[in-house]
């Protein structure tokens, strides 16, 4: 059974949006589409490429998250060494 033309168009619209989202930081909130049915056979290759691009993007974001956490840890350790241990001011007039 081949997909209806409307199903095919709906899948193309969805894949277009997923492609845009996988290539940049759109900040868009994604919601799972409903009522599309199976991916049309002629769009399976494109869907697989988008999935691979999403996985690559996830790997990049995870590496950036780890790097940011390391930088924050280093900054916190530097800030902790600058805390005063005793009096900050000396009253020389007394």
């Amino acid at each position: 059974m081949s997909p209806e033309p409307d199903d095919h168009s709906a899948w193309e619209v969805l894949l277009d949006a997923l492609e845009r989202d996988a290539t940049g930081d759109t900040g868009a909130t994604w919601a799972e589409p409903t009522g599309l049915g199976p991916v049309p056979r002629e769009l399976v290759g494109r869907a697989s490429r988008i999935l691979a691009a999403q996985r690559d993007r996830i790997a990049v974001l995870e590496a950036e998250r780890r790097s940011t956490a390391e930088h924050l840890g280093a900054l916190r350790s530097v800030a902790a060494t600058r805390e005063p241990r005793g009096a900050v001011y000396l009253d020389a007039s007394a």
Side-chain angles (χ1 to χ4, degrees), residues 7 28 40:
D7 289 345

Side-chain angles (χ1 to χ4, degrees), residues 27-65:
T29 303
W30 186 78
E32 182 179 354
T34 58
L36 286 179
V39 179
R41 179 169 290 161
E42 58 274 8
L43 296 177
V44 169
R46 182 177 176 200
S48 295
R49 288 188 298 277
I50 293 169
L51 178 59
Q54 288 174 331
R55 288 181 176 151
D56 291 345
R57 181 80 171 134
I58 288 168
V60 167
L61 291 172
E62 184 59 28
E64 289 175 356
R65 186 200 62 78

Side-chain angles (χ1 to χ4, degrees), residues 89-94:
Y89 300 102
L90 174 64
D91 185 0
S93 65

Side-chain angles (χ1 to χ4, degrees), residues 3-87:
E4 297 294 320
D6 288 341
D7 289 345
H8 191 277
S9 297
W11 269 105
E12 285 183 330
V13 168
L14 175 65
L15 293 176
D16 288 343
L18 290 173
E19 239 170 7
R20 281 190 307 274
D21 292 347
T23 58
D25 188 9
T26 63
T29 303
W30 186 78
E32 182 179 354
T34 58
L36 286 179
V39 179
R41 179 169 290 161
E42 58 274 8
L43 296 177
V44 169
R46 182 177 176 200
S48 295
R49 288 188 298 277
I50 293 169
L51 178 59
Q54 288 174 331
R55 288 181 176 151
D56 291 345
R57 181 80 171 134
I58 288 168
V60 167
L61 291 172
E62 184 59 28
E64 289 175 356
R65 186 200 62 78
R66 278 192 306 273
S67 176
T68 300
E70 289 172 4
H71 288 124
L72 285 173
L75 288 173
R76 287 183 182 120
S77 68
V78 169
T81 62
R82 293 190 179 165
E83 290 182 26
R85 299 279 185 230

